[in-house]
Coordinates of all heavy atoms in Angstrom, one line a residue:
M1 N 117.8 78.8 44.2 CA 118.5 80.0 44.7 C 117.5 81.2 45.0 O 117.7 81.9 46.0 CB 119.6 80.4 43.7 CG 120.4 81.6 44.2 SD 121.4 81.0 45.6 CE 122.3 82.5 45.9
D2 N 116.6 81.3 44.1 CA 115.6 82.4 44.3 C 114.7 82.2 45.6 O 114.4 83.1 46.2 CB 114.6 82.5 43.1 CG 115.3 83.0 41.9 OD1 116.3 83.8 42.0 OD2 114.9 82.7 40.7
A3 N 114.4 80.9 45.9 CA 113.7 80.7 47.1 C 114.4 81.0 48.4 O 113.8 81.6 49.3 CB 113.3 79.1 47.1
V4 N 115.7 80.8 48.4 CA 116.6 81.2 49.5 C 116.6 82.7 49.7 O 116.4 83.2 50.8 CB 118.0 80.6 49.4 CG1 118.9 81.1 50.5 CG2 118.0 79.1 49.3
I5 N 116.7 83.5 48.6 CA 116.7 84.9 48.7 C 115.3 85.4 49.2 O 115.2 86.3 50.0 CB 117.0 85.5 47.4 CG1 118.5 85.2 47.0 CG2 116.8 87.0 47.4 CD1 118.9 85.6 45.6
L6 N 114.2 84.8 48.7 CA 112.9 85.2 49.1 C 112.7 84.9 50.6 O 112.1 85.8 51.3 CB 111.9 84.4 48.3 CG 110.4 84.7 48.6 CD1 110.0 86.1 48.3 CD2 109.5 83.7 47.9
I7 N 113.1 83.8 51.1 CA 112.9 83.5 52.5 C 113.8 84.4 53.3 O 113.3 84.9 54.4 CB 113.3 82.0 52.8 CG1 112.3 81.0 52.1 CG2 113.5 81.7 54.2 CD1 112.7 79.6 52.1
A8 N 115.0 84.8 52.9 CA 115.8 85.7 53.6 C 115.2 87.1 53.6 O 115.2 87.8 54.7 CB 117.2 85.8 53.0
V9 N 114.6 87.5 52.5 CA 113.9 88.8 52.5 C 112.7 88.8 53.4 O 112.5 89.8 54.1 CB 113.5 89.2 51.1 CG1 112.6 90.4 51.0 CG2 114.8 89.5 50.2
I10 N 111.9 87.7 53.4 CA 110.7 87.7 54.3 C 111.2 87.7 55.8 O 110.6 88.4 56.6 CB 109.9 86.4 54.0 CG1 109.2 86.5 52.6 CG2 108.9 86.1 55.1 CD1 108.6 85.4 52.1
L11 N 112.2 87.0 56.1 CA 112.7 87.0 57.5 C 113.2 88.4 57.9 O 113.0 88.8 59.0 CB 113.8 85.9 57.7 CG 113.3 84.5 57.7 CD1 114.5 83.5 57.7 CD2 112.3 84.2 58.8
L12 N 114.0 89.0 57.0 CA 114.5 90.3 57.3 C 113.3 91.4 57.5 O 113.4 92.2 58.4 CB 115.4 90.8 56.1 CG 116.1 92.2 56.3 CD1 117.0 92.1 57.5 CD2 116.8 92.6 55.1
A13 N 112.3 91.3 56.6 CA 111.2 92.2 56.7 C 110.4 91.9 58.0 O 110.0 92.9 58.7 CB 110.3 92.0 55.5
T14 N 110.3 90.7 58.4 CA 109.6 90.3 59.7 C 110.4 90.9 60.9 O 109.9 91.4 61.8 CB 109.5 88.8 59.8 OG1 108.7 88.3 58.7 CG2 108.8 88.4 61.1
G15 N 111.7 90.7 60.8 CA 112.6 91.2 61.9 C 112.5 92.7 62.0 O 112.4 93.3 63.2
I16 N 112.5 93.4 60.9 CA 112.4 94.9 60.9 C 111.0 95.3 61.5 O 110.9 96.3 62.3 CB 112.7 95.5 59.5 CG1 114.1 95.3 59.1 CG2 112.3 96.9 59.5 CD1 114.5 95.6 57.7
G17 N 110.0 94.6 61.1 CA 108.6 95.0 61.5 C 108.5 94.7 63.0 O 107.9 95.5 63.8
M18 N 109.1 93.6 63.5 CA 109.1 93.4 65.0 C 109.8 94.4 65.8 O 109.3 94.9 66.8 CB 109.7 92.0 65.2 CG 108.8 90.8 64.9 SD 109.6 89.2 65.0 CE 110.3 89.2 66.6
R19 N 111.0 94.8 65.2 CA 111.7 95.9 65.9 C 111.0 97.2 65.9 O 111.0 97.9 66.9 CB 113.1 96.1 65.2 CG 114.0 97.1 65.7 CD 114.5 96.7 67.1 NE 115.4 97.8 67.6 CZ 115.7 98.0 68.8 NH1 115.2 97.2 69.7 NH2 116.4 99.0 69.2
L20 N 110.3 97.6 64.9 CA 109.5 98.8 64.7 C 108.4 98.8 65.8 O 108.1 99.7 66.5 CB 109.0 99.0 63.3 CG 108.2 100.2 63.1 CD1 108.9 101.5 63.3 CD2 107.5 100.2 61.7
I21 N 107.7 97.6 65.8 CA 106.6 97.5 66.8 C 107.1 97.6 68.2 O 106.4 98.3 69.1 CB 105.8 96.2 66.5 CG1 105.0 96.3 65.3 CG2 104.9 95.9 67.7 CD1 104.4 95.0 64.8
H22 N 108.2 97.0 68.5 CA 108.8 97.1 69.9 C 109.2 98.5 70.2 O 108.8 99.0 71.3 CB 110.1 96.2 69.9 CG 110.8 96.3 71.2 ND1 110.2 95.7 72.4 CD2 111.9 96.9 71.6 CE1 111.1 95.9 73.3 NE2 112.1 96.7 72.9
L23 N 109.7 99.3 69.3 CA 110.1 100.7 69.6 C 108.8 101.5 69.8 O 108.8 102.4 70.6 CB 110.9 101.2 68.4 CG 112.4 100.6 68.3 CD1 113.0 101.2 67.1 CD2 113.2 101.0 69.5
L24 N 107.8 101.3 69.0 CA 106.6 102.1 69.1 C 105.9 101.7 70.5 O 105.4 102.7 71.1 CB 105.6 101.8 68.0 CG 106.1 102.4 66.6 CD1 105.1 101.9 65.5 CD2 106.1 103.9 66.7
N25 N 105.9 100.5 70.9 CA 105.3 100.1 72.1 C 106.1 100.8 73.3 O 105.5 101.3 74.3 CB 105.3 98.6 72.3 CG 104.1 98.0 71.6 OD1 103.2 98.6 71.3 ND2 104.3 96.7 71.3
A26 N 107.4 100.8 73.2 CA 108.2 101.4 74.3 C 107.9 102.9 74.3 O 107.8 103.5 75.4 CB 109.7 101.1 74.0
Q27 N 107.8 103.5 73.2 CA 107.5 105.0 73.2 C 106.1 105.2 73.8 O 105.9 106.2 74.5 CB 107.5 105.5 71.7 CG 107.3 107.0 71.6 CD 107.4 107.4 70.1 OE1 107.2 106.6 69.2 NE2 107.6 108.7 69.9
H28 N 105.1 104.4 73.4 CA 103.8 104.6 74.0 C 103.8 104.4 75.5 O 103.1 105.1 76.2 CB 102.8 103.5 73.3 CG 101.4 103.6 73.7 ND1 100.6 104.7 73.4 CD2 100.7 102.8 74.5 CE1 99.4 104.5 74.0 NE2 99.5 103.3 74.6
D29 N 104.5 103.3 76.0 CA 104.6 103.1 77.4 C 105.2 104.2 78.2 O 104.7 104.6 79.2 CB 105.4 101.8 77.7 CG 104.6 100.6 77.3 OD1 103.4 100.6 77.1 OD2 105.3 99.5 77.1
A30 N 106.2 104.9 77.6 CA 106.9 106.0 78.2 C 105.9 107.2 78.2 O 105.9 108.0 79.2 CB 108.1 106.4 77.4
R31 N 105.1 107.4 77.2 CA 104.1 108.5 77.1 C 103.0 108.3 78.2 O 102.6 109.2 78.9 CB 103.5 108.5 75.7 CG 103.4 109.9 75.2 CD 102.8 109.9 73.9 NE 103.8 110.0 72.9 CZ 103.8 109.6 71.7 NH1 102.7 109.0 71.2 NH2 104.8 109.8 70.8
I32 N 102.6 107.0 78.4 CA 101.5 106.8 79.3 C 102.1 106.9 80.8 O 101.4 107.4 81.6 CB 101.0 105.3 79.2 CG1 100.1 105.4 77.9 CG2 100.2 104.9 80.4 CD1 99.4 104.1 77.6
A33 N 103.4 106.5 81.0 CA 104.0 106.7 82.3 C 104.1 108.1 82.8 O 104.1 108.4 83.9 CB 105.3 106.0 82.3
A34 N 104.2 109.0 81.8 CA 104.3 110.5 82.1 C 103.0 111.0 82.6 O 103.0 112.0 83.3 CB 104.8 111.2 80.9
H35 N 101.9 110.4 82.3 CA 100.6 110.9 82.8 C 100.2 110.2 84.0 O 100.4 109.0 84.2 CB 99.5 110.7 81.7 CG 99.8 111.5 80.5 ND1 99.6 112.8 80.4 CD2 100.2 111.1 79.3 CE1 99.9 113.3 79.2 NE2 100.3 112.2 78.5
H36 N 99.5 110.9 85.0 CA 99.1 110.3 86.2 C 97.6 110.3 86.2 O 96.9 111.2 86.7 CB 99.6 111.1 87.4 CG 101.1 111.2 87.4 ND1 101.9 110.1 87.7 CD2 102.0 112.2 87.2 CE1 103.2 110.5 87.7 NE2 103.2 111.7 87.3
F37 N 97.0 109.3 85.6 CA 95.6 109.1 85.4 C 94.9 108.9 86.8 O 93.8 109.2 86.9 CB 95.2 108.0 84.5 CG 95.6 108.3 83.0 CD1 96.7 107.6 82.5 CD2 95.0 109.3 82.3 CE1 97.1 107.9 81.2 CE2 95.4 109.6 81.0 CZ 96.4 108.9 80.4
S38 N 95.6 108.3 87.7 CA 94.9 107.9 89.0 C 95.0 109.0 90.0 O 94.5 108.8 91.1 CB 95.6 106.6 89.5 OG 96.9 106.9 89.8
D39 N 95.6 110.1 89.8 CA 95.6 111.2 90.7 C 94.2 111.8 90.9 O 93.5 112.0 89.9 CB 96.6 112.3 90.3 CG 98.1 111.9 90.5 OD1 98.3 110.8 91.1 OD2 98.9 112.6 90.0
T40 N 93.9 112.2 92.1 CA 92.6 112.8 92.3 C 92.7 114.3 91.9 O 93.8 114.9 92.0 CB 92.2 112.7 93.8 OG1 93.2 113.3 94.6 CG2 92.0 111.3 94.1
L41 N 91.6 114.9 91.7 CA 91.6 116.3 91.4 C 91.7 117.1 92.6 O 91.3 116.7 93.7 CB 90.2 116.7 90.7 CG 90.0 116.1 89.3 CD1 88.6 116.4 88.8 CD2 91.0 116.6 88.3
P42 N 92.2 118.3 92.6 CA 92.4 119.1 93.8 C 91.1 119.4 94.4 O 90.1 119.8 93.7 CB 93.1 120.4 93.3 CG 93.6 120.1 91.9 CD 92.8 119.0 91.4
G43 N 90.9 119.3 95.7 CA 89.7 119.6 96.3 C 88.7 118.4 96.4 O 87.7 118.5 97.0
I44 N 89.0 117.4 95.6 CA 88.1 116.2 95.5 C 88.9 115.0 96.1 O 89.7 114.5 95.4 CB 87.6 115.9 94.1 CG1 86.9 117.1 93.6 CG2 86.7 114.7 94.1 CD1 86.4 117.0 92.2
G45 N 88.7 114.6 97.3 CA 89.4 113.5 97.9 C 88.4 112.4 98.0 O 87.3 112.4 97.6
R46 N 88.9 111.4 98.7 CA 88.0 110.2 98.9 C 87.0 110.6 100.0 O 87.4 111.2 101.0 CB 88.9 109.0 99.4 CG 89.6 108.4 98.4 CD 90.3 107.1 98.9 NE 91.0 106.4 97.9 CZ 90.6 105.2 97.4 NH1 89.6 104.6 98.0 NH2 91.2 104.6 96.4
R47 N 85.8 110.2 99.8 CA 84.8 110.5 100.8 C 84.8 109.4 101.8 O 85.0 108.3 101.6 CB 83.4 110.6 100.2 CG 83.3 111.7 99.2 CD 81.9 111.7 98.6 NE 81.8 112.8 97.6 CZ 80.7 113.0 96.9 NH1 79.7 112.2 97.0 NH2 80.7 114.0 96.1
S48 N 84.6 109.9 103.1 CA 84.6 108.9 104.1 C 83.2 108.2 104.1 O 82.2 108.8 103.7 CB 84.8 109.6 105.5 OG 83.8 110.5 105.8
R49 N 83.2 107.0 104.5 CA 81.9 106.3 104.5 C 81.1 106.7 105.7 O 81.7 106.7 106.8 CB 82.2 104.8 104.5 CG 82.8 104.3 103.2 CD 82.9 102.8 103.3 NE 83.4 102.3 102.0 CZ 82.9 101.3 101.4 NH1 81.9 100.6 101.9 NH2 83.4 100.9 100.2
K50 N 79.9 107.1 105.5 CA 79.1 107.5 106.6 C 78.0 106.5 106.7 O 77.2 106.3 105.7 CB 78.6 108.9 106.4 CG 79.6 109.9 106.4 CD 79.1 111.3 106.1 CE 80.2 112.3 106.1 NZ 79.7 113.7 105.8
H51 N 77.8 105.9 107.8 CA 76.7 104.9 108.0 C 75.5 105.6 108.7 O 75.6 106.1 109.8 CB 77.2 103.8 108.9 CG 78.3 103.0 108.3 ND1 78.2 102.2 107.2 CD2 79.7 103.0 108.5 CE1 79.3 101.7 106.9 NE2 80.2 102.2 107.6
H52 N 74.4 105.7 107.9 CA 73.3 106.4 108.5 C 72.2 105.3 108.9 O 71.2 105.2 108.3 CB 72.7 107.3 107.4 CG 73.6 108.5 107.1 ND1 73.8 109.5 108.0 CD2 74.3 108.8 106.0 CE1 74.6 110.4 107.5 NE2 74.9 109.9 106.3
R53 N 72.6 104.5 109.8 CA 71.7 103.5 110.3 C 71.0 104.0 111.5 O 71.7 104.5 112.4 CB 72.4 102.2 110.6 CG 72.9 101.4 109.3 CD 73.5 100.1 109.7 NE 74.9 100.4 109.9 CZ 75.7 99.5 110.3 NH1 75.3 98.3 110.8 NH2 77.0 99.8 110.5
P54 N 69.7 103.8 111.6 CA 69.0 104.3 112.8 C 69.4 103.4 114.0 O 69.6 102.2 113.8 CB 67.5 104.1 112.5 CG 67.5 103.2 111.4 CD 68.8 103.3 110.6
I55 N 69.5 104.0 115.2 CA 69.9 103.2 116.4 C 68.6 102.9 117.2 O 67.8 103.8 117.4 CB 70.9 104.1 117.2 CG1 72.1 104.3 116.4 CG2 71.2 103.3 118.5 CD1 73.1 105.2 117.1
S56 N 68.5 101.6 117.5 CA 67.3 101.2 118.3 C 67.4 101.7 119.8 O 68.5 102.2 120.2 CB 67.1 99.7 118.2 OG 68.2 99.1 118.9
A57 N 66.4 101.5 120.6 CA 66.3 102.0 121.9 C 67.4 101.3 122.8 O 67.9 101.8 123.7 CB 65.0 101.7 122.5
D58 N 67.7 100.0 122.5 CA 68.7 99.3 123.3 C 70.1 99.6 122.9 O 71.1 99.0 123.4 CB 68.4 97.8 123.3 CG 68.5 97.2 122.0 OD1 68.7 97.9 121.0 OD2 68.5 95.9 121.9
G59 N 70.4 100.4 121.9 CA 71.8 100.8 121.5 C 72.3 100.1 120.3 O 73.3 100.4 119.8
G60 N 71.6 99.0 119.9 CA 72.0 98.3 118.7 C 71.5 98.9 117.5 O 70.5 99.7 117.4
A61 N 72.0 98.6 116.3 CA 71.5 99.1 115.1 C 70.3 98.4 114.7 O 70.1 97.2 114.8 CB 72.6 98.9 114.0
A62 N 69.4 99.1 114.1 CA 68.1 98.6 113.7 C 68.2 98.0 112.3 O 69.0 98.6 111.5 CB 67.0 99.6 113.8
D63 N 67.4 97.0 111.9 CA 67.5 96.5 110.6 C 66.5 97.4 109.7 O 65.9 98.3 110.2 CB 67.1 95.0 110.5 CG 65.7 94.8 111.0 OD1 65.0 95.7 111.3 OD2 65.3 93.5 111.0
R64 N 66.3 97.0 108.5 CA 65.5 97.8 107.6 C 64.1 98.0 108.0 O 63.4 98.9 107.6 CB 65.6 97.3 106.1 CG 67.0 97.4 105.5 CD 67.0 96.8 104.2 NE 68.4 96.8 103.7 CZ 68.7 97.4 102.6 NH1 67.9 98.1 101.9 NH2 70.0 97.4 102.2
T65 N 63.5 97.0 108.7 CA 62.1 97.1 109.1 C 62.0 97.9 110.3 O 60.9 98.3 110.7 CB 61.6 95.7 109.4 OG1 62.4 95.1 110.5 CG2 61.7 94.8 108.2
G66 N 63.1 98.4 111.0 CA 62.9 99.3 112.1 C 63.0 98.5 113.4 O 62.9 99.1 114.5
T67 N 63.0 97.2 113.4 CA 63.1 96.4 114.6 C 64.5 96.2 115.0 O 65.4 96.1 114.2 CB 62.4 95.1 114.5 OG1 63.0 94.3 113.4 CG2 61.0 95.3 114.1
A68 N 64.8 96.1 116.3 CA 66.1 95.9 116.8 C 66.6 94.5 116.5 O 65.8 93.5 116.4 CB 66.2 96.1 118.3
R69 N 67.9 94.3 116.3 CA 68.5 93.0 116.0 C 68.7 92.2 117.3 O 69.1 92.7 118.3 CB 69.8 93.2 115.3 CG 69.6 93.7 113.9 CD 70.9 93.7 113.2 NE 70.6 94.3 111.9 CZ 71.5 94.2 110.9 NH1 72.6 93.6 111.0 NH2 71.2 94.8 109.7

């Protein structure tokens, strides 16, 4: 009889612990959702990509050695 009570108490404690962890995770997720970590700062946007490749005489882009492709 004592073993049955012990098993019931262990299962009850496990269930209460699982419920508590679930509630804490839900609270944490709600807190994180309120913050916008991916927003850019005002005045700082995405920079456009600028290609500074030298142009050869025939109009094509030159490679690193300076010769036309």
Side-chain angles (χ1 to χ4, degrees):
M1 184 70 181
D2 289 335
V4 174
I5 294 173
L6 179 64
I7 291 172
V9 169
I10 291 172
L11 289 175
L12 183 66
T14 302
I16 291 171
M18 286 173 50
R19 178 71 178 156
L20 178 65
I21 291 171
H22 176 72
L23 291 174
L24 288 173
N25 281 339
Q27 183 181 20
H28 181 70
D29 290 343
R31 223 179 260 154
I32 286 181
H35 295 286
H36 301 288
F37 293 109
S38 63
D39 288 349
T40 58
L41 295 174
I44 301 175
R46 287 184 174 248
R47 294 182 182 174
S48 63
R49 291 185 179 227
K50 295 179 182 177
H51 299 287
H52 295 290
R53 286 185 270 171
I55 298 176
S56 65
D58 63 350
D63 63 4
R64 291 178 188 243
T65 62
T67 59
R69 291 183 186 195

